Amino acid sequence: MLRYFPLDKNYILKEAQSDSTDELLLRMVNKVKETYCRLHNPLGLIDNTIEKIQSYQPEDLSHLKPFYLAVAGVYRFKFATDNQLFLNFDGRSHYEIYLQEWADGLDFMIESLSLKQPVFLKIMLELTVFNDGTKNHELLTYRLNNLLKENFEVQIRKKRGAQAYKIA
């Protein structure tokens, strides 16, 4: 069994991911809106759908937290593989550095999902902009987690944690 010491990179990174949840959920929704408009409306024509997407201001994003936690777990497993702290000479704490790296990593992962999995944007918009309260959040979150698994080849399991996932 692998044990970590309290100032291990994984603990600091996980704390940074947890502390920035609300801010990055909003950033993720804005990134999805921007990417959808860029990919599906390159001329910038305004119709009812685009107007609704652009004017959407989220009030409660708590239903996106399970997906955010899954993305954070995939990031720690796939991109933050080295658990050793490094010497830092720029005056920032490790926490601040990992906070910035995680925000950049989340942007990269959302962009990757948006470009490689076209249905990702539609599901995210269905959970946010076009959510009328009748949507099944659990089913849509399950679909998002499957897209995450397919795109990054990492599966999150409750008992075993993150594992590499091989697609045939």
Side-chain angles (χ1 to χ4, degrees):
M1 179 171 181
L2 189 61
R3 294 183 186 247
Y4 301 111
F5 59 95
L7 292 178
D8 190 318
K9 174 183 177 178
N10 289 319
Y11 289 124
I12 298 171
L13 178 58
K14 195 170 185 175
E15 181 183 355
Q17 289 173 330
S18 176
D19 291 348
S20 63
T21 300
D22 294 332
E23 175 190 338
L24 290 181
L25 278 174
L26 182 61
R27 185 172 170 169
M28 181 170 58
V29 170
N30 289 333
K31 184 93 170 153
V32 165
K33 289 173 21 180
E34 173 190 309
T35 304
Y36 180 85
C37 290
R38 188 181 72 231
L39 292 176
H40 298 287
N41 188 19
L43 296 177
L45 303 174
I46 304 296
D47 63 355
N48 292 339
T49 303
I50 296 299
E51 187 176 338
K52 188 171 184 176
I53 290 171
Q54 289 177 341
S55 65
Y56 175 73
Q57 295 298 323
E59 296 172 9
D60 179 29
L61 295 174
S62 61
H63 57 281
L64 289 177
K65 284 186 182 180
F67 176 68
Y68 175 85
L69 293 174
V71 173
V74 169
Y75 176 81
R76 286 191 309 272
F77 182 80
K78 189 89 173 179
F79 300 106
T81 56
D82 184 20
N83 64 351
Q84 298 299 313
L85 295 176
F86 57 89
L87 293 176
N88 180 23
F89 298 104
D90 65 1
R92 295 183 299 163
S93 69
H94 285 94
Y95 176 83
E96 293 169 332
I97 292 170
Y98 296 146
L99 197 62
Q100 181 61 45
E101 285 179 3
W102 163 233
D104 294 342
L106 180 67
D107 285 346
F108 167 76
M109 292 174 79
I110 296 303
E111 186 76 22
S112 176
L113 280 167
S114 299
L115 296 176
K116 293 180 184 175
Q117 305 284 348
V119 73
F120 170 76
L121 292 173
K122 294 176 184 173
I123 295 172
M124 286 295 292
L125 290 174
E126 199 173 327
L127 275 169
T128 54
V129 177
F130 302 110
N131 185 3
D132 57 1
T134 61
K135 306 284 188 224
N136 185 347
H137 297 299
E138 291 81 21
L139 178 61
L140 294 172
T141 302
Y142 179 76
R143 290 175 63 195
L144 286 174
N145 287 338
N146 276 340
L147 292 174
L148 190 66
K149 176 176 68 173
E150 290 172 12
N151 194 57
F152 294 106
E153 299 177 351
V154 175
Q155 186 170 15
I156 305 291
R157 295 188 176 180
K158 287 183 182 181
K159 292 186 179 183
R160 295 183 187 169
Q163 295 179 324
Y165 178 73
K166 304 274 188 204
I167 297 177

